Amino acid sequence: MNNTSKRMSAAGLLIAIGIVYGDIGTSPLYVMKSIVAGNGGIGNVNRDFIVGSISLVLWTVTLLTTLQTVVIALKATNHGEGGIFALYTLVRKHAKWLVLPALIGGAAILADGTLTPAVTVTTAIEGLKGLKFGGSVPVSTQSMVITITVIILLVLFSIQKMGTSIIGKAFGPIMFVWFSFLGIMGLINMSGDWSILAAINPIYAIRLLFSPENKAGIFILGSIFLATTGAEALYSDVGHVGKKNIIGSWPFVFVCLSLNYFGQGVWILNNPHYVPADGGSLNPFFEMIPANLRLAAIILATVAAVIASQALITGSFTLVAEASGLKFLPRMNINYPSTEKGQIYIPSINKGICVATIAIVLYFQTSAHMEAAYGLSITISMLMTTILLYEWLVMKKVKPIWNWIFLIFFGVLDIMFMVSSLTKFTHGGYVSLFIAGAIGFIMYVWYYGNKVRDKRESRNAYVRLDEYTDMLTNLSHDEDYPTYATNL
């Protein structure tokens, strides 16, 4: 592994920001939009609802991303590599049944790799819809949005062969600008109502779950969870950038994300009767940005969405390579675009994800429909990761009381988010589960097929022929047996 990955450095931090945080960094594009729409629109929300929603977002990211992933999971690496398969490699000797959560979780993460590019890029491009340029509206229909999205996705997948080192160096500065922009826009809008900071108090999050103002009830967590999708990329991509650079860059990312959610909350409270000019769906992220900066924000958001997709794609390469090593998947042609450890490119997987992602865009047509499918598979993978992390803590001889606290606390959280996300099943969630199920079935068959083959091979005895020379000579001269036979 190169020096950048071994120790924290300015270059390493910048590359980490460019590679790892794209997915979670584009969450502000659709989280508040989904929360408000799920409660019946901007006219059906009040201050308690918005403050409670932001509090739920902040504490979800704090617990699932900061505590579980950055603080705990990043310690569980296998020779510098992370992800659910690397974690399984560390604990598989404890029990044979641990292969099941590894297979289920890995399949769910790979399925998410097809949804993330579709959701993030489409959401960003929809910001162009209805926007005027010199009196004309270049992007006036959803069909044009879909066309532009597909073109961008094709370009994205075509540059994967360059490797994450080159891509990270190019994307790092851009993502630094993106997160700075998120924070600044949030601060500007927060200046109108600093009391929004009350959302830091978790009591508002708990109250909202049982408040009559929350029409979705506990199922609001299905939208809240969108704020932490991308946490698995932090763990999967640790081999690309090094854990120290992820730990060092995360506080900056978290602060910028939090400020933006605060800013969107204030904008919503100050515009209770707002109706989008194009008659489309309301997106607080774009609406809170001043008109003269709107185009720049859309361009920056589009680039960030492309980078968000990059984080999941590189993570998918790592997962597939690890799955092949564990005999979950067949051996594939793996390219190494650079001399740095962890930098890999798998052409067949790149093509497969590209086809699946574009198919999802063409099937769902709008980001609102895609959001219904998004997140469900990741809640499953997080629950599986929690189970494996518990086994890792046991292996590390952590006190049993702490092991059980970890398992019960994060297990209950993961189950709550999974159950709330199941409401998305009929609205598109079935697509993500179908993809995850298909991948999981292939891995299951390949893994157990290999087990059967290995057992058969172990029954074969290999002997030295020179020990049987006399016997073979006598047999060759024995006229009682035919020299040739059809069944030899």
Side-chain angles (χ1 to χ4, degrees):
M1 189 176 292
N2 68 342
N3 291 333
T4 299
S5 297
K6 283 184 178 179
R7 58 184 174 80
M8 190 186 304
S9 65
L13 293 171
L14 201 59
I15 291 174
I17 290 173
I19 293 176
V20 174
Y21 298 113
D23 190 4
I24 198 168
T26 50
S27 295
L29 287 173
Y30 45 76
V31 171
M32 293 305 295
K33 169 189 170 187
S34 178
I35 292 171
V36 172
N39 208 60
I42 196 169
N44 294 301
V45 301
N46 59 17
R47 182 177 183 78
D48 289 340
F49 179 86
I50 294 300
V51 172
S53 296
I54 295 173
S55 185
L56 278 171
V57 167
L58 296 181
W59 282 100
T60 296
V61 176
T62 297
L63 294 174
L64 296 184
T65 307
T66 305
L67 184 56
Q68 184 175 17
T69 305
V70 177
V71 176
I72 299 174
L74 288 187
K75 293 184 183 348
T77 56
N78 182 30
H79 301 293
E81 296 293 341
I84 194 166
F85 291 144
L87 180 57
Y88 167 69
T89 303
L90 295 174
V91 302
R92 59 180 170 175
K93 292 182 180 179
H94 275 216
K96 291 183 178 180
W97 65 268
L98 290 175
V99 69
L100 293 177
L103 288 173
I104 295 170
I109 293 174
L110 289 172
D112 182 63
T114 63
L115 280 162
T116 295
V119 174
T120 53
V121 177
T122 305
T123 303
I125 299 303
E126 282 179 345
L128 285 171
K129 188 178 175 182
L131 202 63
K132 291 184 178 180
F133 295 91
S136 63
V137 182
V139 183
S140 56
T141 65
Q142 191 64 24
S143 298
M144 297 176 72
V145 169
I146 297 302
T147 301
I148 296 171
T149 298
V150 170
I151 292 172
I152 291 174
L153 289 173
L154 287 172
V155 173
L156 169 66
F157 285 101
S158 69
I159 66 172
Q160 293 305 309
K161 66 181 77 171
M162 297 167 59
T164 52
S165 178
I166 296 173
I167 294 172
K169 289 173 183 175
F171 285 174
I174 297 173
M175 287 305 292
F176 178 79
V177 171
W178 168 251
F179 283 113
S180 300
F181 178 78
L182 289 180
I184 292 169
M185 286 296 104
L187 272 173
I188 291 173
N189 282 272
M190 280 175 64
S191 62
D193 185 2
W194 292 104
S195 65
I196 194 71
L197 289 170
I200 295 173
N201 187 344
I203 194 68
Y204 289 99
I206 297 170
R207 282 180 185 170
L208 182 64
L209 292 176
F210 306 100
S211 170
E213 298 294 335
N214 172 20
K215 295 178 173 57
I218 194 73
F219 298 112
I220 192 176
L221 294 177
S223 294
I224 298 294
F225 185 77
L226 296 177
T228 195
T229 54
E232 72 285 350
L234 273 70
Y235 191 27
S236 297
D237 282 338
V238 65
H240 294 258
V241 299
K243 68 174 72 176
K244 291 183 179 179
N245 289 311
I246 292 178
I247 294 170
S249 55
W250 170 243
F252 165 73
V253 171
F254 188 21
V255 168
C256 291
L257 290 173
S258 301
L259 289 175
N260 197 263
Y261 288 123
F262 283 133
Q264 289 191 50
V266 171
W267 184 90
I268 292 169
L269 293 175
N270 290 337
N271 297 271
H273 306 296
Y274 186 84
V275 178
D278 62 350
S281 58
L282 170 73
N283 191 331
F285 174 81
F286 288 118
E287 300 298 347
M288 76 170 181
I289 296 171
N292 59 339
L293 295 177
R294 189 75 56 83
L295 178 59
I298 293 170
I299 294 173
L300 192 55
T302 302
V303 176
V306 169
I307 297 171
S309 307
Q310 174 66 36
L312 263 292
I313 295 168
T314 54
S316 296
F317 292 158
T318 302
L319 283 171
V320 169
E322 291 171 343
S324 295
L326 292 167
K327 296 184 179 180
F328 290 163
L329 289 172
R331 293 287 181 180
M332 299 182 189
N333 177 33
I334 299 177
N335 297 337
Y336 299 88
S338 74
T339 58
E340 297 179 15
K341 181 179 177 181
Q343 310 271 324
I344 62 175
Y345 166 67
I346 306 178
S348 57
I349 296 301
N350 189 58
K351 292 175 183 175
I353 297 176
C354 178
V355 171
T357 300
I358 291 175
I360 287 170
V361 172
L362 296 176
Y363 178 72
F364 284 108
Q365 292 290 310
T366 69
S367 64
H369 291 155
M370 294 177 204
E371 286 160 16
Y374 193 41
L376 177 55
S377 60
I378 291 303
T379 60
I380 297 171
S381 72
M382 281 195 168
L383 179 59
M384 300 302 108
T385 300
T386 296
I387 294 170
L388 294 176
L389 277 173
Y390 165 77
E391 294 292 336
W392 178 80
L393 291 171
V394 172
M395 185 186 74
K396 287 295 182 180
K397 294 182 171 53
V398 175
K399 290 183 178 180
I401 182 66
W402 293 112
N403 296 340
W404 282 107
I405 289 174
F406 171 85
L407 180 63
I408 293 171
F409 181 74
F410 286 107
V412 169
L413 275 182
D414 293 338
I415 290 171
M416 285 174 62
F417 281 111
M418 185 174 69
V419 170
S420 62
S421 295
L422 281 173
T423 57
K424 300 179 178 183
F425 181 82
T426 56
H427 298 97
Y430 60 88
V431 173
S432 63
L433 288 187
F434 173 78
I435 296 172
I439 296 172
F441 177 75
I442 292 171
M443 291 196 293
Y444 178 86
V445 170
W446 191 264
Y447 177 75
Y448 283 99
N450 274 305
K451 298 282 282 187
V452 171
R453 184 198 65 185
D454 292 343
K455 284 182 180 179
R456 287 180 178 175
E457 288 181 352
S458 67
R459 294 171 186 166
N460 298 329
Y462 295 90
V463 297
R464 292 176 60 87
L465 288 179
D466 56 7
E467 296 176 0
Y468 297 89
T469 303
D470 294 339
M471 182 186 295
L472 292 171
T473 301
N474 293 333
L475 181 62
S476 69
H477 293 95
D478 192 336
E479 299 297 332
D480 293 334
Y481 295 95
T483 304
Y484 303 99
T486 58
N487 63 334
L488 286 180

